[in-house]
Amino acid sequence: MSRQNFIDTLDAYANDGKEVQLWLRDDDAIEPTAELSKLLDLSKRWDAPLTIAAIPAHTTAALAKLMEELRLISVAVHGWDHVNHAPALEKKQELGLHRGEDVVLGLLAEGLERIKTLFGDRAVPLLVPPWNRIAQPLLDRLPALGYEALSVFGPERADAPVRLVNTHVDIIDWKGTRGGRPMDVLYAEAAVRLEAGTTHATNLGVLTHHLVHDDAAWEFLDDFFAVTARHPACRWVAVRELMGSR
Ligand SMILES: [Zn+2]
């Protein structure tokens, strides 16, 4: 069973003195909700840092207020307003070239500024493109805007011109039920990521969307924290650590 296989892989990591650096990115926050509180409670319960990717144009002061007391939470920049500008037949994209580079770059600069203003030292200069998509020509320009890293979905590309801190396991079945994917499938994907890890420390990013979590999604998260939080091979890290700063 995949869950057991994942645990066996963690045990092998521990035996080899290797480490799994775990992080969780939750997308689309704009305001406090019961679902967001449920997610943030996992951080408290397991003493685990989490990263919230907030939509700058719509993020409320109430969300900033909520984060003030939560020292383990980092806030990343989720595009500007999460509006699709791709034509109907293309995959959804906010950060494409449909409006021209300068328009998009201007909004990305404004987005980082707004997240910093709202969240202070909890803000991280990490860009999380809506739908995990950004036009390649924009990547070179991100450092000049103040972004230190980019987070999309899937294995990190070696030739990316910016530092990548990706997510690798998406708990939602977007094309099917739009609820949580089966636990065994998720553990199998997590194990694949670890089995491919050749270095001393491998990072594993879990992608969540608190606004659409059903019971299956929450059950997986409860179980995943129970499996990893106290395992000797695992360390839940603040995303800054993976960004290579502070
Ligand atoms: Zn999103």
Side-chain angles (χ1 to χ4, degrees), residues 122-153:
R122 223 62 58 71
V124 284
L126 172 69
L127 176 62
V128 177
W131 300 287
N132 290 297
R133 288 183 200 112
I134 181 168
Q136 191 72 17
L138 298 175
L139 300 185
D140 282 326
R141 314 279 298 274
L142 296 179
L145 302 181
Y147 288 100
E148 293 173 19
L150 174 74
S151 180
V152 289
F153 181 78

PDB file of all heavy atoms in Angstrom, residues 122-153:
ATOM      1  N   ARG A 122       6.192  38.920   7.634  1.00  0.00           N
ATOM      2  CA  ARG A 122       5.618  37.610   7.283  1.00  0.00           C
ATOM      3  C   ARG A 122       5.543  37.437   5.761  1.00  0.00           C
ATOM      4  O   ARG A 122       5.362  36.342   5.251  1.00  0.00           O
ATOM      5  CB  ARG A 122       4.221  37.453   7.897  1.00  0.00           C
ATOM      6  CG  ARG A 122       3.971  36.090   8.499  1.00  0.00           C
ATOM      7  CD  ARG A 122       4.925  35.828   9.640  1.00  0.00           C
ATOM      8  NE  ARG A 122       4.793  36.844  10.644  1.00  0.00           N
ATOM      9  CZ  ARG A 122       3.737  36.956  11.439  1.00  0.00           C
ATOM     10  NH1 ARG A 122       2.773  36.108  11.370  1.00  0.00           N
ATOM     11  NH2 ARG A 122       3.683  37.910  12.327  1.00  0.00           N
ATOM     12  N   ALA A 123       5.681  38.538   5.021  1.00  0.00           N
ATOM     13  CA  ALA A 123       5.660  38.474   3.556  1.00  0.00           C
ATOM     14  C   ALA A 123       6.959  37.866   3.052  1.00  0.00           C
ATOM     15  O   ALA A 123       8.031  38.133   3.596  1.00  0.00           O
ATOM     16  CB  ALA A 123       5.494  39.881   2.982  1.00  0.00           C
ATOM     17  N   VAL A 124       6.868  37.028   2.029  1.00  0.00           N
ATOM     18  CA  VAL A 124       8.067  36.480   1.394  1.00  0.00           C
ATOM     19  C   VAL A 124       8.049  36.851  -0.094  1.00  0.00           C
ATOM     20  O   VAL A 124       7.005  36.789  -0.740  1.00  0.00           O
ATOM     21  CB  VAL A 124       8.195  34.945   1.555  1.00  0.00           C
ATOM     22  CG1 VAL A 124       8.651  34.569   2.947  1.00  0.00           C
ATOM     23  CG2 VAL A 124       6.890  34.232   1.221  1.00  0.00           C
ATOM     24  N   PRO A 125       9.234  37.247  -0.640  1.00  0.00           N
ATOM     25  CA  PRO A 125       9.295  37.643  -2.059  1.00  0.00           C
ATOM     26  C   PRO A 125       9.293  36.421  -2.974  1.00  0.00           C
ATOM     27  O   PRO A 125      10.226  36.159  -3.717  1.00  0.00           O
ATOM     28  CB  PRO A 125      10.594  38.444  -2.150  1.00  0.00           C
ATOM     29  CG  PRO A 125      11.441  37.920  -1.044  1.00  0.00           C
ATOM     30  CD  PRO A 125      10.527  37.444   0.040  1.00  0.00           C
ATOM     31  N   LEU A 126       8.207  35.657  -2.859  1.00  0.00           N
ATOM     32  CA  LEU A 126       8.021  34.424  -3.615  1.00  0.00           C
ATOM     33  C   LEU A 126       6.788  34.603  -4.488  1.00  0.00           C
ATOM     34  O   LEU A 126       5.697  34.882  -3.976  1.00  0.00           O
ATOM     35  CB  LEU A 126       7.812  33.261  -2.643  1.00  0.00           C
ATOM     36  CG  LEU A 126       7.405  31.910  -3.247  1.00  0.00           C
ATOM     37  CD1 LEU A 126       8.554  31.306  -4.054  1.00  0.00           C
ATOM     38  CD2 LEU A 126       6.986  30.941  -2.129  1.00  0.00           C
ATOM     39  N   LEU A 127       6.961  34.458  -5.807  1.00  0.00           N
ATOM     40  CA  LEU A 127       5.828  34.593  -6.719  1.00  0.00           C
ATOM     41  C   LEU A 127       5.195  33.231  -6.981  1.00  0.00           C
ATOM     42  O   LEU A 127       5.874  32.281  -7.366  1.00  0.00           O
ATOM     43  CB  LEU A 127       6.283  35.213  -8.048  1.00  0.00           C
ATOM     44  CG  LEU A 127       5.179  35.312  -9.123  1.00  0.00           C
ATOM     45  CD1 LEU A 127       4.029  36.205  -8.649  1.00  0.00           C
ATOM     46  CD2 LEU A 127       5.758  35.819 -10.437  1.00  0.00           C
ATOM     47  N   VAL A 128       3.893  33.160  -6.764  1.00  0.00           N
ATOM     48  CA  VAL A 128       3.111  31.950  -7.035  1.00  0.00           C
ATOM     49  C   VAL A 128       2.124  32.290  -8.159  1.00  0.00           C
ATOM     50  O   VAL A 128       1.101  32.919  -7.916  1.00  0.00           O
ATOM     51  CB  VAL A 128       2.346  31.501  -5.773  1.00  0.00           C
ATOM     52  CG1 VAL A 128       1.467  30.289  -6.080  1.00  0.00           C
ATOM     53  CG2 VAL A 128       3.311  31.209  -4.627  1.00  0.00           C
ATOM     54  N   PRO A 129       2.433  31.943  -9.403  1.00  0.00           N
ATOM     55  CA  PRO A 129       1.547  32.313 -10.510  1.00  0.00           C
ATOM     56  C   PRO A 129       0.203  31.584 -10.400  1.00  0.00           C
ATOM     57  O   PRO A 129       0.178  30.387 -10.165  1.00  0.00           O
ATOM     58  CB  PRO A 129       2.300  31.831 -11.761  1.00  0.00           C
ATOM     59  CG  PRO A 129       3.707  31.618 -11.327  1.00  0.00           C
ATOM     60  CD  PRO A 129       3.631  31.225  -9.884  1.00  0.00           C
ATOM     61  N   PRO A 130      -0.912  32.314 -10.594  1.00  0.00           N
ATOM     62  CA  PRO A 130      -2.199  31.637 -10.658  1.00  0.00           C
ATOM     63  C   PRO A 130      -2.170  30.536 -11.732  1.00  0.00           C
ATOM     64  O   PRO A 130      -1.548  30.719 -12.778  1.00  0.00           O
ATOM     65  CB  PRO A 130      -3.160  32.765 -11.027  1.00  0.00           C
ATOM     66  CG  PRO A 130      -2.543  33.979 -10.397  1.00  0.00           C
ATOM     67  CD  PRO A 130      -1.058  33.770 -10.607  1.00  0.00           C
ATOM     68  N   TRP A 131      -2.804  29.439 -11.451  1.00  0.00           N
ATOM     69  CA  TRP A 131      -2.820  28.240 -12.310  1.00  0.00           C
ATOM     70  C   TRP A 131      -1.410  27.699 -12.555  1.00  0.00           C
ATOM     71  O   TRP A 131      -1.186  26.910 -13.474  1.00  0.00           O
ATOM     72  CB  TRP A 131      -3.542  28.519 -13.642  1.00  0.00           C
ATOM     73  CG  TRP A 131      -4.966  28.946 -13.441  1.00  0.00           C
ATOM     74  CD1 TRP A 131      -6.025  28.149 -13.060  1.00  0.00           C
ATOM     75  CD2 TRP A 131      -5.501  30.271 -13.576  1.00  0.00           C
ATOM     76  NE1 TRP A 131      -7.165  28.903 -12.947  1.00  0.00           N
ATOM     77  CE2 TRP A 131      -6.880  30.200 -13.273  1.00  0.00           C
ATOM     78  CE3 TRP A 131      -4.945  31.508 -13.920  1.00  0.00           C
ATOM     79  CZ2 TRP A 131      -7.717  31.315 -13.291  1.00  0.00           C
ATOM     80  CZ3 TRP A 131      -5.785  32.616 -13.947  1.00  0.00           C
ATOM     81  CH2 TRP A 131      -7.145  32.517 -13.640  1.00  0.00           C
ATOM     82  N   ASN A 132      -0.453  28.131 -11.728  1.00  0.00           N
ATOM     83  CA  ASN A 132       0.930  27.642 -11.835  1.00  0.00           C
ATOM     84  C   ASN A 132       1.548  27.901 -13.204  1.00  0.00           C
ATOM     85  O   ASN A 132       2.406  27.146 -13.660  1.00  0.00           O
ATOM     86  CB  ASN A 132       1.007  26.140 -11.502  1.00  0.00           C
ATOM     87  CG  ASN A 132       0.757  25.880 -10.034  1.00  0.00           C
ATOM     88  OD1 ASN A 132       1.526  26.323  -9.173  1.00  0.00           O
ATOM     89  ND2 ASN A 132      -0.337  25.203  -9.716  1.00  0.00           N
ATOM     90  N   ARG A 133       1.114  28.976 -13.862  1.00  0.00           N
ATOM     91  CA  ARG A 133       1.630  29.257 -15.203  1.00  0.00           C
ATOM     92  C   ARG A 133       2.129  30.699 -15.302  1.00  0.00           C
ATOM     93  O   ARG A 133       1.442  31.619 -14.863  1.00  0.00           O
ATOM     94  CB  ARG A 133       0.536  29.067 -16.263  1.00  0.00           C
ATOM     95  CG  ARG A 133       0.186  27.623 -16.477  1.00  0.00           C
ATOM     96  CD  ARG A 133      -0.847  27.447 -17.586  1.00  0.00           C
ATOM     97  NE  ARG A 133      -1.449  26.137 -17.375  1.00  0.00           N
ATOM     98  CZ  ARG A 133      -2.707  25.927 -16.997  1.00  0.00           C
ATOM     99  NH1 ARG A 133      -3.536  26.941 -16.870  1.00  0.00           N
ATOM    100  NH2 ARG A 133      -3.142  24.707 -16.764  1.00  0.00           N
ATOM    101  N   ILE A 134       3.301  30.861 -15.928  1.00  0.00           N
ATOM    102  CA  ILE A 134       3.847  32.198 -16.183  1.00  0.00           C
ATOM    103  C   ILE A 134       4.641  32.145 -17.485  1.00  0.00           C
ATOM    104  O   ILE A 134       5.325  31.142 -17.759  1.00  0.00           O
ATOM    105  CB  ILE A 134       4.723  32.691 -15.002  1.00  0.00           C
ATOM    106  CG1 ILE A 134       5.273  34.100 -15.287  1.00  0.00           C
ATOM    107  CG2 ILE A 134       5.840  31.704 -14.667  1.00  0.00           C
ATOM    108  CD1 ILE A 134       5.893  34.778 -14.066  1.00  0.00           C
ATOM    109  N   ALA A 135       4.537  33.189 -18.301  1.00  0.00           N
ATOM    110  CA  ALA A 135       5.245  33.205 -19.587  1.00  0.00           C
ATOM    111  C   ALA A 135       6.752  33.240 -19.344  1.00  0.00           C
ATOM    112  O   ALA A 135       7.251  34.032 -18.524  1.00  0.00           O
ATOM    113  CB  ALA A 135       4.813  34.420 -20.406  1.00  0.00           C
ATOM    114  N   GLN A 136       7.448  32.387 -20.063  1.00  0.00           N
ATOM    115  CA  GLN A 136       8.899  32.233 -19.892  1.00  0.00           C
ATOM    116  C   GLN A 136       9.668  33.563 -19.946  1.00  0.00           C
ATOM    117  O   GLN A 136      10.557  33.795 -19.129  1.00  0.00           O
ATOM    118  CB  GLN A 136       9.403  31.249 -20.961  1.00  0.00           C
ATOM    119  CG  GLN A 136      10.820  30.758 -20.781  1.00  0.00           C
ATOM    120  CD  GLN A 136      10.961  29.790 -19.612  1.00  0.00           C
ATOM    121  OE1 GLN A 136       9.966  29.245 -19.141  1.00  0.00           O
ATOM    122  NE2 GLN A 136      12.177  29.619 -19.138  1.00  0.00           N
ATOM    123  N   PRO A 137       9.353  34.477 -20.899  1.00  0.00           N
ATOM    124  CA  PRO A 137      10.144  35.720 -20.986  1.00  0.00           C
ATOM    125  C   PRO A 137      10.050  36.597 -19.736  1.00  0.00           C
ATOM    126  O   PRO A 137      10.891  37.479 -19.542  1.00  0.00           O
ATOM    127  CB  PRO A 137       9.527  36.452 -22.192  1.00  0.00           C
ATOM    128  CG  PRO A 137       8.857  35.386 -22.984  1.00  0.00           C
ATOM    129  CD  PRO A 137       8.378  34.371 -21.988  1.00  0.00           C
ATOM    130  N   LEU A 138       9.053  36.371 -18.893  1.00  0.00           N
ATOM    131  CA  LEU A 138       8.922  37.205 -17.689  1.00  0.00           C
ATOM    132  C   LEU A 138       9.896  36.778 -16.589  1.00  0.00           C
ATOM    133  O   LEU A 138      10.198  37.555 -15.681  1.00  0.00           O
ATOM    134  CB  LEU A 138       7.489  37.126 -17.151  1.00  0.00           C
ATOM    135  CG  LEU A 138       6.379  37.626 -18.081  1.00  0.00           C
ATOM    136  CD1 LEU A 138       5.016  37.375 -17.456  1.00  0.00           C
ATOM    137  CD2 LEU A 138       6.568  39.117 -18.363  1.00  0.00           C
ATOM    138  N   LEU A 139      10.378  35.542 -16.670  1.00  0.00           N
ATOM    139  CA  LEU A 139      11.169  35.003 -15.555  1.00  0.00           C
ATOM    140  C   LEU A 139      12.442  35.796 -15.291  1.00  0.00           C
ATOM    141  O   LEU A 139      12.789  36.066 -14.143  1.00  0.00           O
ATOM    142  CB  LEU A 139      11.521  33.531 -15.809  1.00  0.00           C
ATOM    143  CG  LEU A 139      10.331  32.587 -15.963  1.00  0.00           C
ATOM    144  CD1 LEU A 139      10.810  31.146 -16.091  1.00  0.00           C
ATOM    145  CD2 LEU A 139       9.374  32.711 -14.782  1.00  0.00           C
ATOM    146  N   ASP A 140      13.122  36.193 -16.360  1.00  0.00           N
ATOM    147  CA  ASP A 140      14.370  36.962 -16.217  1.00  0.00           C
ATOM    148  C   ASP A 140      14.148  38.292 -15.504  1.00  0.00           C
ATOM    149  O   ASP A 140      15.078  38.859 -14.949  1.00  0.00           O
ATOM    150  CB  ASP A 140      14.947  37.291 -17.606  1.00  0.00           C
ATOM    151  CG  ASP A 140      15.645  36.107 -18.223  1.00  0.00           C
ATOM    152  OD1 ASP A 140      16.243  35.333 -17.454  1.00  0.00           O
ATOM    153  OD2 ASP A 140      15.592  35.961 -19.462  1.00  0.00           O
ATOM    154  N   ARG A 141      12.925  38.788 -15.584  1.00  0.00           N
ATOM    155  CA  ARG A 141      12.642  40.128 -15.074  1.00  0.00           C
ATOM    156  C   ARG A 141      12.250  40.121 -13.600  1.00  0.00           C
ATOM    157  O   ARG A 141      12.151  41.184 -12.978  1.00  0.00           O
ATOM    158  CB  ARG A 141      11.514  40.760 -15.889  1.00  0.00           C
ATOM    159  CG  ARG A 141      11.660  40.620 -17.410  1.00  0.00           C
ATOM    160  CD  ARG A 141      12.607  41.636 -18.015  1.00  0.00           C
ATOM    161  NE  ARG A 141      12.129  42.998 -17.820  1.00  0.00           N
ATOM    162  CZ  ARG A 141      11.277  43.613 -18.631  1.00  0.00           C
ATOM    163  NH1 ARG A 141      10.826  42.991 -19.706  1.00  0.00           N
ATOM    164  NH2 ARG A 141      10.890  44.852 -18.389  1.00  0.00           N
ATOM    165  N   LEU A 142      11.976  38.938 -13.050  1.00  0.00           N
ATOM    166  CA  LEU A 142      11.458  38.883 -11.675  1.00  0.00           C
ATOM    167  C   LEU A 142      12.424  39.414 -10.620  1.00  0.00           C
ATOM    168  O   LEU A 142      11.995  40.145  -9.718  1.00  0.00           O
ATOM    169  CB  LEU A 142      11.020  37.447 -11.325  1.00  0.00           C
ATOM    170  CG  LEU A 142       9.844  36.900 -12.152  1.00  0.00           C
ATOM    171  CD1 LEU A 142       9.525  35.472 -11.723  1.00  0.00           C
ATOM    172  CD2 LEU A 142       8.611  37.800 -12.004  1.00  0.00           C
ATOM    173  N   PRO A 143      13.731  39.085 -10.694  1.00  0.00           N
ATOM    174  CA  PRO A 143      14.641  39.599  -9.650  1.00  0.00           C
ATOM    175  C   PRO A 143      14.642  41.124  -9.567  1.00  0.00           C
ATOM    176  O   PRO A 143      14.683  41.684  -8.468  1.00  0.00           O
ATOM    177  CB  PRO A 143      16.006  39.047 -10.069  1.00  0.00           C
ATOM    178  CG  PRO A 143      15.685  37.807 -10.855  1.00  0.00           C
ATOM    179  CD  PRO A 143      14.406  38.137 -11.598  1.00  0.00           C
ATOM    180  N   ALA A 144      14.553  41.797 -10.707  1.00  0.00           N
ATOM    181  CA  ALA A 144      14.562  43.264 -10.704  1.00  0.00           C
ATOM    182  C   ALA A 144      13.326  43.833 -10.010  1.00  0.00           C
ATOM    183  O   ALA A 144      13.346  44.962  -9.515  1.00  0.00           O
ATOM    184  CB  ALA A 144      14.654  43.793 -12.137  1.00  0.00           C
ATOM    185  N   LEU A 145      12.255  43.045  -9.955  1.00  0.00           N
ATOM    186  CA  LEU A 145      11.046  43.496  -9.264  1.00  0.00           C
ATOM    187  C   LEU A 145      11.117  43.224  -7.758  1.00  0.00           C
ATOM    188  O   LEU A 145      10.247  43.660  -7.006  1.00  0.00           O
ATOM    189  CB  LEU A 145       9.808  42.772  -9.819  1.00  0.00           C
ATOM    190  CG  LEU A 145       9.513  42.893 -11.318  1.00  0.00           C
ATOM    191  CD1 LEU A 145       8.252  42.125 -11.665  1.00  0.00           C
ATOM    192  CD2 LEU A 145       9.367  44.356 -11.715  1.00  0.00           C
ATOM    193  N   GLY A 146      12.124  42.466  -7.346  1.00  0.00           N
ATOM    194  CA  GLY A 146      12.260  42.153  -5.926  1.00  0.00           C
ATOM    195  C   GLY A 146      11.915  40.722  -5.564  1.00  0.00           C
ATOM    196  O   GLY A 146      12.003  40.325  -4.402  1.00  0.00           O
ATOM    197  N   TYR A 147      11.526  39.924  -6.558  1.00  0.00           N
ATOM    198  CA  TYR A 147      11.207  38.516  -6.277  1.00  0.00           C
ATOM    199  C   TYR A 147      12.486  37.684  -6.189  1.00  0.00           C
ATOM    200  O   TYR A 147      13.354  37.776  -7.044  1.00  0.00           O
ATOM    201  CB  TYR A 147      10.299  37.940  -7.367  1.00  0.00           C
ATOM    202  CG  TYR A 147       8.894  38.474  -7.307  1.00  0.00           C
ATOM    203  CD1 TYR A 147       8.479  39.484  -8.167  1.00  0.00           C
ATOM    204  CD2 TYR A 147       7.983  37.963  -6.373  1.00  0.00           C
ATOM    205  CE1 TYR A 147       7.187  39.987  -8.108  1.00  0.00           C
ATOM    206  CE2 TYR A 147       6.694  38.467  -6.311  1.00  0.00           C
ATOM    207  CZ  TYR A 147       6.298  39.472  -7.178  1.00  0.00           C
ATOM    208  OH  TYR A 147       5.023  39.960  -7.113  1.00  0.00           O
ATOM    209  N   GLU A 148      12.580  36.866  -5.155  1.00  0.00           N
ATOM    210  CA  GLU A 148      13.762  36.020  -4.988  1.00  0.00           C
ATOM    211  C   GLU A 148      13.538  34.603  -5.476  1.00  0.00           C
ATOM    212  O   GLU A 148      14.487  33.842  -5.652  1.00  0.00           O
ATOM    213  CB  GLU A 148      14.174  36.011  -3.502  1.00  0.00           C
ATOM    214  CG  GLU A 148      14.673  37.367  -3.053  1.00  0.00           C
ATOM    215  CD  GLU A 148      14.926  37.429  -1.551  1.00  0.00           C
ATOM    216  OE1 GLU A 148      15.070  36.367  -0.921  1.00  0.00           O
ATOM    217  OE2 GLU A 148      14.953  38.550  -1.033  1.00  0.00           O
ATOM    218  N   ALA A 149      12.270  34.218  -5.635  1.00  0.00           N
ATOM    219  CA  ALA A 149      12.002  32.850  -6.079  1.00  0.00           C
ATOM    220  C   ALA A 149      10.604  32.757  -6.671  1.00  0.00           C
ATOM    221  O   ALA A 149       9.765  33.645  -6.498  1.00  0.00           O
ATOM    222  CB  ALA A 149      12.143  31.874  -4.904  1.00  0.00           C
ATOM    223  N   LEU A 150      10.392  31.649  -7.389  1.00  0.00           N
ATOM    224  CA  LEU A 150       9.128  31.369  -8.067  1.00  0.00           C
ATOM    225  C   LEU A 150       8.663  29.988  -7.625  1.00  0.00           C
ATOM    226  O   LEU A 150       9.478  29.078  -7.461  1.00  0.00           O
ATOM    227  CB  LEU A 150       9.387  31.367  -9.577  1.00  0.00           C
ATOM    228  CG  LEU A 150       8.240  30.962 -10.504  1.00  0.00           C
ATOM    229  CD1 LEU A 150       7.205  32.095 -10.563  1.00  0.00           C
ATOM    230  CD2 LEU A 150       8.781  30.678 -11.915  1.00  0.00           C
ATOM    231  N   SER A 151       7.356  29.838  -7.446  1.00  0.00           N
ATOM    232  CA  SER A 151       6.817  28.530  -7.073  1.00  0.00           C
ATOM    233  C   SER A 151       5.717  28.123  -8.037  1.00  0.00           C
ATOM    234  O   SER A 151       4.686  28.783  -8.123  1.00  0.00           O
ATOM    235  CB  SER A 151       6.262  28.572  -5.645  1.00  0.00           C
ATOM    236  OG  SER A 151       5.741  27.298  -5.286  1.00  0.00           O
ATOM    237  N   VAL A 152       5.950  27.045  -8.787  1.00  0.00           N
ATOM    238  CA  VAL A 152       4.916  26.478  -9.646  1.00  0.00           C
ATOM    239  C   VAL A 152       4.706  25.018  -9.225  1.00  0.00           C
ATOM    240  O   VAL A 152       5.033  24.644  -8.096  1.00  0.00           O
ATOM    241  CB  VAL A 152       5.285  26.637 -11.153  1.00  0.00           C
ATOM    242  CG1 VAL A 152       5.170  28.092 -11.564  1.00  0.00           C
ATOM    243  CG2 VAL A 152       6.651  26.071 -11.463  1.00  0.00           C
ATOM    244  N   PHE A 153       4.153  24.195 -10.124  1.00  0.00           N
ATOM    245  CA  PHE A 153       3.875  22.817  -9.766  1.00  0.00           C
ATOM    246  C   PHE A 153       4.729  21.876 -10.613  1.00  0.00           C
ATOM    247  O   PHE A 153       4.855  22.062 -11.816  1.00  0.00           O
ATOM    248  CB  PHE A 153       2.388  22.498  -9.981  1.00  0.00           C
ATOM    249  CG  PHE A 153       2.028  21.085  -9.615  1.00  0.00           C
ATOM    250  CD1 PHE A 153       1.864  20.738  -8.281  1.00  0.00           C
ATOM    251  CD2 PHE A 153       1.893  20.113 -10.584  1.00  0.00           C
ATOM    252  CE1 PHE A 153       1.560  19.426  -7.921  1.00  0.00           C
ATOM    253  CE2 PHE A 153       1.583  18.801 -10.240  1.00  0.00           C
ATOM    254  CZ  PHE A 153       1.412  18.461  -8.910  1.00  0.00           C
TER     255      PHE A 153
END
